[in-house]
Amino acid sequence: METSEKYETVFLDRDGVINKHLKNDYVKCWDEFEFLPGVLDALSILAKYFKHIFIVTNQRGVCKGLMTEDTLKDIHSKMQTEIENCGGRIDQIYYCTDLSNESQNRKPNSGMAFQAKNDFPNIEFQNSIMIGDSLSDMEFGNRLGMKTVFINKENESESLINFALSLIK
Ligand SMILES: [Mg+2]
């Protein structure tokens, strides 16, 4: 994939892409957060190839009262420390705690992408890749004209590390 020439920005879903997705549950504290195999190596590769690396994540567990927003921020802070210790980086994390599917910020709606555009005005969605493990993530990317990459935990060839390795081939 000649991704490095064309694409400058990558948007990553969190649960199921960075960390293990808990079935019918939320990651409610750092102890429940588990990086998926190869992800820390993958992020250190992505850090060399992309100008901007963002996470866009729906976290409705906050508005369901299952964790506080401060706890979510604590999880993200510890996650970022580990990523940086392994040579990777996340430039910004956007999260949506809203319950309603009508929320403009809740994927597949585009709000979090426009928050990123507001913070980093030089990003272009057509030069961006959205990587996720759900159809909602693919829809989010498609609506914005991004390239989309699907992560599937059942299939090693559809993992973040496999995508990262495809960049350095
Ligand atoms: Mg996910």
Side-chain angles (χ1 to χ4, degrees):
M1 196 186 314
E2 299 97 44
T3 306
S4 54
E5 296 160 28
K6 259 174 92 182
Y7 298 96
E8 298 190 335
T9 301
V10 63
F11 288 84
L12 302 163
D13 174 43
R14 197 196 79 180
D15 300 322
V17 174
I18 307 282
N19 58 283
K20 199 170 165 188
H21 177 87
L22 303 180
K23 208 174 174 202
N24 301 319
D25 199 2
Y26 298 86
V27 174
K28 302 176 294 304
C29 61
W30 178 243
D31 282 350
E32 294 175 348
F33 187 98
E34 187 184 335
F35 282 102
L36 285 166
V39 157
L40 290 166
D41 290 333
L43 289 170
S44 82
I45 295 170
L46 297 192
K48 297 181 186 78
Y49 279 82
F50 292 96
K51 281 189 188 161
H52 305 286
I53 302 173
F54 304 125
I55 288 178
V56 283
T57 178
N58 288 344
Q59 292 295 333
R60 134 158 118 175
V62 172
C63 281
K64 285 185 176 176
L66 300 171
M67 70 185 119
T68 65
E69 189 166 356
D70 280 347
T71 300
L72 181 63
K73 287 180 180 169
D74 177 65
I75 293 167
H76 288 164
S77 151
K78 291 185 164 103
M79 174 187 75
Q80 281 196 275
T81 300
E82 292 237 2
I83 290 169
E84 284 163 19
N85 287 344
C86 294
R89 61 167 222 282
I90 302 292
D91 298 309
Q92 194 65 265
I93 300 172
Y94 299 97
Y95 56 85
C96 176
T97 61
D98 297 340
L99 289 176
S100 169
N101 290 335
E102 306 303 311
S103 163
Q104 62 169 352
N105 288 322
R106 184 171 168 77
K107 291 179 291 181
N109 298 326
S110 306
M112 289 192 283
F114 289 111
Q115 289 177 40
K117 178 78 179 164
N118 196 52
D119 293 342
F120 300 85
N122 57 338
I123 63 171
E124 299 288 351
F125 297 138
Q126 69 266 26
N127 296 338
S128 301
I129 303 179
M130 174 65 203
I131 304 181
D133 72 326
S134 73
L135 292 178
S136 161
D137 296 319
M138 301 299 96
E139 175 72 24
F140 172 87
N142 286 332
R143 285 186 193 178
L144 293 153
M146 298 177 182
K147 176 187 165 67
T148 54
V149 172
F150 190 69
I151 298 296
N152 177 4
K153 70 172 179 349
E154 311 296 339
N155 185 349
E156 209 179 304
S157 72
E158 295 177 298
S159 61
L160 194 62
I161 185 63
N162 200 64
F163 168 75
L165 290 172
S166 76
L167 297 172
I168 56 177
K169 264 180 195 153

